[in-house]
Amino acid sequence: ENIKKQGKTRKRITEIQVKINKRIVLAGGPSTGKTSVIYELTKLKFHCFKEAARDILSDYKQRGSEFKSDPIKISEEIFKRRHHDYKIADTLNCKENLAFYDRGIHEITAYLRSIDNSSSYWDNLPSNYKYDLIFIFQPWKEIYKKDEDRIEEFSDAEKISPFIDDIYMESGIKIIKVPNISIKERVKFILNNS
């Protein structure tokens, strides 16, 4: 019986030692400045999860495919990576207990809705993931850039943004819109409001 009590005590101590990090998503359409801010936060030694979709979409592009050719399969791969990042956040030792995400799970549903390819599965999925705070980046033509992996036009960024706004509003998570200011000012704004 004494061993049983020791086991319970160890379990409680372990539970107490679990560090709860605040999960903060930088959300928004393509080329709105999220990744630039994530890069600066990383330089300041904050834990940041990079955008999963970029690598996955790049792999598909190399195989001659794109998101619209198989959005469900690609979304499933993005989901696996984002789910993993979401789950491990509490096991990490994060500066100021802040874990930043370059996009959240909810945005998978937003993208599928934007191309009329969502389903009840994807519509219900975000309810299982409660981030603590969402910073929304709006389309900003002056900083918009295409590259080999970002093939969307600025009009595509404008089209997806309301879907992203809506999915996070539906979730009931606190949303803060990020002003169109310099990267360093955005970082300061985000840290002051986290």
Side-chain angles (χ1 to χ4, degrees), residues 25-165:
V25 175
L26 307 187
S31 196
T32 54
K34 301 175 304 295
T35 304
S36 296
V37 169
I38 287 285
Y39 179 73
E40 288 299 316
L41 288 166
T42 302
K43 285 185 0 188
L44 294 172
K45 307 293 185 213
F46 286 96
H47 190 87
C48 300
F49 294 97
K50 70 180 208 169
E51 164 58 292
R54 196 164 181 82
D55 292 339
I56 292 166
L57 291 169
S58 179
D59 290 345
Y60 271 85
K61 186 177 178 188
Q62 288 177 354
R63 291 185 247 153
S65 190
E66 62 177 46
F67 180 73
K68 290 181 181 176
S69 64
D70 199 348
I72 299 302
K73 185 175 181 184
I74 294 171
S75 294
E76 287 168 353
E77 288 190 42
I78 294 168
F79 168 70
K80 285 178 195 169
R81 188 102 45 100
R82 288 184 186 167
H83 169 80
H84 173 265
D85 293 347
Y86 182 91
K87 290 295 185 189
I88 66 166
D90 285 335
T91 66
L92 302 172
N93 185 13
C94 296
K95 180 178 178 178
E96 297 180 30
N97 290 15
L98 301 175
F100 292 95
Y101 296 83
D102 189 340
R103 296 197 180 198
I105 289 168
H106 299 59
E107 286 167 84
I108 300 168
T109 300
Y111 267 80
L112 289 171
R113 285 180 179 177
S114 78
I115 60 167
D116 294 323
N117 209 342
S118 193
S119 65
S120 60
Y121 169 78
W122 292 105
D123 287 341
N124 292 322
L125 186 68
S127 66
N128 299 318
Y129 299 88
K130 298 293 182 194
Y131 296 98
D132 295 290
L133 184 59
I134 310 297
F135 285 97
I136 298 272
F137 289 64
Q138 296 299 315
W140 187 5
K141 194 164 183 85
E142 287 73 25
I143 67 165
Y144 193 86
K145 290 182 191 157
K146 287 173 62 173
D147 61 31
E148 63 184 42
D149 293 320
R150 182 183 298 119
I151 55 162
E152 301 101 334
E153 298 294 333
F154 182 72
S155 60
D156 296 321
E158 290 178 307
K159 178 186 175 199
I160 185 66
S161 288
F163 290 93
I164 293 169
D165 293 351

Side-chain angles (χ1 to χ4, degrees), residues 24 64 89 149 179 194:
I24 301 170
D149 293 320
S194 294

